């Protein structure tokens, strides 16, 4: 969760600053070094992150790669940087040469926005032509963040990354092929389906006719699948809301919201106003607890207060939305949990 928030903060910074960044050097300092820091490496420690790392090529001396991340006195990742405006596809050969003369298994080519991670799956000690992981930091998806996390200092494991890199590389290529075929289907792709439904001879004219049919068929299929999933999710949410409403009607006849609970709610609002407008903070009193929700949504509990028993407790929520109860002497003690309450807001706002 923390890694996701850090990457999002860097993405926001990039979107704000990129038009003011004009050189490769400023790209390094504004975009790439913060990314290395997010991975847990100290960019101010020359034994951990080495700028201008020497990668001499035979008789050609003085060749240097922009950065090398070091572990146990050996490079584990070499990084070549370009200006954020540059297309990385024309710069792979330079990193390819550096990879060959270092002991690393991983290389990164980046312009601070697009990141391409390479290894040596095809031939040992020889960098692959295609990256096994590529992403745009300003439009990250959750599964990509999980792959980035494997390069974090606390979890870096060469064998784990290499073993996963092969499937990751081919899945990426397969997804690109699927996208290409759906955008501009090849004759082979069209014939694959036409042969299954058309009994006549597949002339050039027939293939051209099926081109539009195959395209329409796939688009309709994908749209229907998306609608099915949306409808299933909406129906599930509607059923849940109806069940909650029935439960609330039953409970309302037995619930008495105390002045103490109302005062406690005002304390929580006072804390969370730093990040939320007050209308988004809503309470729901139940027989067993006094719940405080974000946007009146049962799936976004901010905290629960247990004030009617012999002992008072505050219930806080982690990433899995599991409640942890902690004792409080009185409602003033809610102020002691300011950080935890604000962290919970961050959890929902980053979803």
């Amino acid at each position: 969760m923390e890694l996701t928030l850090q990457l999002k903060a860097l993405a926001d910074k990039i979107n704000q600053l990129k038009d003011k960044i004009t050189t490769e050097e400023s790209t390094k300092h504004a975009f790439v070094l913060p990314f290395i820091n997010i991975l847990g490496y100290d960019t101010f420690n020359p034994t951990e992150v080495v700028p201008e790392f020497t990668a001499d090529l035979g008789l050609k001396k003085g060749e240097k790669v922009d950065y090398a991340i070091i572990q146990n006195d050996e490079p584990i990742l070499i990084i070549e940087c370009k200006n954020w405006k540059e297309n990385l596809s024309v710069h792979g050969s330079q990193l390819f040469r550096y990879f060959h003369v270092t002991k690393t298994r991983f290389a990164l080519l980046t312009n601070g926005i697009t990141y391409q991670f390479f290894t040596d799956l095809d031939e040992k000690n020889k960098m692959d032509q295609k990256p096994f992981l590529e992403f745009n930091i300003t439009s990250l998806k959750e599964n990509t963040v999980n792959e980035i996390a494997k390069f974090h200092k606390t979890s870096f494991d060469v064998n784990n990354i290499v073993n996963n890199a092969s499937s990751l590389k081919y899945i990426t290529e397969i997804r690109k092929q699927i996208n290409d075929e759906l955008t501009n289907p090849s004759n082979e792709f069209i014939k694959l389906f036409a042969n299954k439904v058309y009994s006549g001879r597949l002339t050039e004219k027939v293939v051209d006719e099926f081109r539009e049919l195959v395209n329409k068929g796939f688009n309709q299929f994908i749209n229907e699948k998306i609608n099915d999933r949306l409808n299933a999710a909406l129906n599930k949410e509607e059923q849940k809301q109806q069940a909650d409403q029935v439960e609330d009607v039953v409970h309302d006849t037995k619930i008495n919201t105390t002045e103490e609970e109302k005062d406690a709610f005002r304390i929580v609002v006072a804390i969370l106003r730093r990040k939320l407008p007050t209308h988004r903070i809503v309470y729901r009193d139940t027989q067993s607890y006094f719940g405080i929700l974000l946007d009146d949504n049962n799936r976004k509990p901010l905290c629960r207060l247990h004030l009617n028993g012999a002992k008072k407790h505050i219930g806080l929520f982690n990433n899995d939305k599991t409640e942890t109860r902690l004792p409080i002497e009185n409602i003033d003690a809610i102020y002691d949990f300011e950080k935890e309450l604000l962290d919970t807001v961050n959890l929902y706002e980053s979803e």
Side-chain angles (χ1 to χ4, degrees):
M1 188 65 198
E2 183 180 357
L3 179 61
T4 301
L5 292 175
Q6 290 175 329
L7 290 169
K8 185 178 184 302
L10 178 56
D12 292 341
K13 176 184 175 184
I14 289 171
N15 285 327
Q16 292 171 8
L17 295 181
K18 64 181 182 180
D19 291 333
K20 300 176 183 178
I21 301 297
T22 58
T23 66
E24 180 180 306
E25 201 62 28
S26 55
T27 298
K28 293 179 190 177
H29 287 281
F31 301 162
V32 180
L33 286 177
F35 178 79
I36 296 173
N37 276 324
I38 288 173
L39 292 182
Y41 302 100
D42 184 358
T43 54
F44 294 101
N45 182 349
T47 65
E48 192 164 288
V49 179
V50 180
E52 297 296 308
F53 182 75
T54 300
D56 289 338
L57 301 167
L59 297 177
K60 190 174 182 181
K61 303 298 182 182
E63 291 291 302
K64 297 182 184 298
V65 65
D66 288 317
Y67 299 104
I69 295 177
I70 306 298
Q71 192 176 84
N72 299 324
D73 297 325
E74 295 289 349
I76 59 172
L77 175 65
I78 58 172
I79 305 170
E80 184 66 16
C81 307
K82 301 300 172 186
N83 187 305
W84 73 269
K85 295 181 180 180
E86 292 195 37
N87 186 336
L88 296 182
S89 61
V90 298
H91 295 290
S93 60
Q94 185 179 11
L95 189 59
F96 182 90
R97 297 195 306 271
Y98 296 152
F99 186 93
H100 182 67
V101 296
T102 62
K103 296 181 180 180
T104 184
R105 292 294 304 276
F106 305 107
L108 168 61
L109 178 62
T110 181
N111 59 12
I113 297 178
T114 300
Y115 286 75
Q116 297 178 343
F117 285 83
F118 298 83
T119 187
D120 55 353
L121 295 172
D122 297 334
E123 189 175 339
K124 192 170 182 181
N125 297 326
K126 187 176 180 181
M127 192 180 89
D128 298 337
Q129 293 290 333
K130 294 182 179 180
F132 68 88
L133 175 63
E134 181 174 1
F135 58 86
N136 183 315
I137 198 170
T138 63
S139 57
L140 286 175
K141 294 184 171 55
E142 184 179 353
N143 61 324
T144 304
V145 174
N146 293 335
E147 297 303 327
I148 295 171
K150 293 172 184 174
F151 283 91
H152 196 279
K153 181 180 178 181
T154 58
S155 54
F156 184 86
D157 182 287
V158 173
N159 293 329
N160 181 36
I161 299 174
V162 170
N163 291 339
N164 183 63
S166 179
S167 61
L168 191 62
K169 175 182 177 181
Y170 292 121
I171 287 173
T172 300
E173 288 300 312
I174 289 170
R175 290 179 61 178
K176 286 181 179 178
Q177 290 297 320
I178 291 173
N179 180 67
D180 290 344
E181 293 290 2
L182 293 180
T183 304
N184 185 24
S186 63
N187 285 351
E188 292 78 7
F189 188 74
I190 294 166
K191 290 177 181 178
L192 173 66
F193 294 96
N195 273 321
K196 295 180 183 294
V197 298
Y198 183 73
S199 57
R201 181 167 166 266
L202 290 180
T203 63
E204 185 176 343
K205 181 180 178 181
V206 172
V207 171
D208 285 339
E209 290 173 352
F210 266 94
R211 188 179 306 278
E212 183 178 357
L213 295 175
V214 170
N215 206 335
K216 283 184 177 179
F218 262 93
N219 285 328
Q220 289 176 7
F221 175 80
I222 292 171
N223 288 335
E224 287 172 2
K225 283 295 181 183
I226 292 172
N227 287 332
D228 288 345
R229 294 191 66 176
L230 287 174
N231 289 332
L234 290 171
N235 289 336
K236 185 176 180 181
E237 179 63 22
E238 184 178 345
Q239 291 170 2
K240 186 176 185 302
Q241 288 178 354
Q242 290 174 349
D244 289 342
Q245 289 171 359
V246 172
E247 183 181 354
D248 288 344
V249 169
V250 174
H251 284 180
D252 282 347
T253 60
K254 301 179 181 181
I255 292 170
N256 176 33
T257 302
T258 66
E259 287 301 318
E260 184 181 40
E261 288 172 329
K262 292 178 181 178
D263 288 341
F265 174 68
R266 294 185 187 102
I267 291 174
V268 173
V269 171
I271 292 171
L272 298 183
R273 280 186 65 187
R274 292 170 52 189
K275 293 204 170 184
L276 293 171
T278 56
H279 72 269
R280 297 187 64 192
I281 310 168
V282 179
Y283 75 77
R284 286 196 198 177
D285 200 358
T286 72
Q287 285 183 287
S288 54
Y289 61 82
F290 183 83
I292 301 178
L293 309 172
L294 176 63
D295 299 329
D296 203 14
N297 188 334
N298 278 332
R299 294 183 299 172
K300 295 182 178 182
L302 294 166
C303 70
R304 287 177 180 172
L305 300 172
H306 307 268
L307 305 178
N308 296 329
K311 294 183 178 180
K312 304 180 190 299
H313 294 83
I314 183 172
L316 300 173
F317 291 86
N318 59 18
N319 293 359
D320 299 323
K321 299 181 184 177
T322 302
E323 181 186 6
T324 300
R325 294 191 187 186
L326 299 169
I328 54 175
E329 288 189 17
N330 51 55
I331 61 174
D332 290 336
I334 295 172
Y335 285 109
D336 296 336
F337 300 95
E338 176 178 350
K339 180 181 182 301
E340 289 81 357
L341 289 169
L342 292 171
D343 285 346
T344 303
V345 173
N346 292 335
L347 170 67
Y348 298 133
E349 294 293 85
S350 64
E351 288 183 345

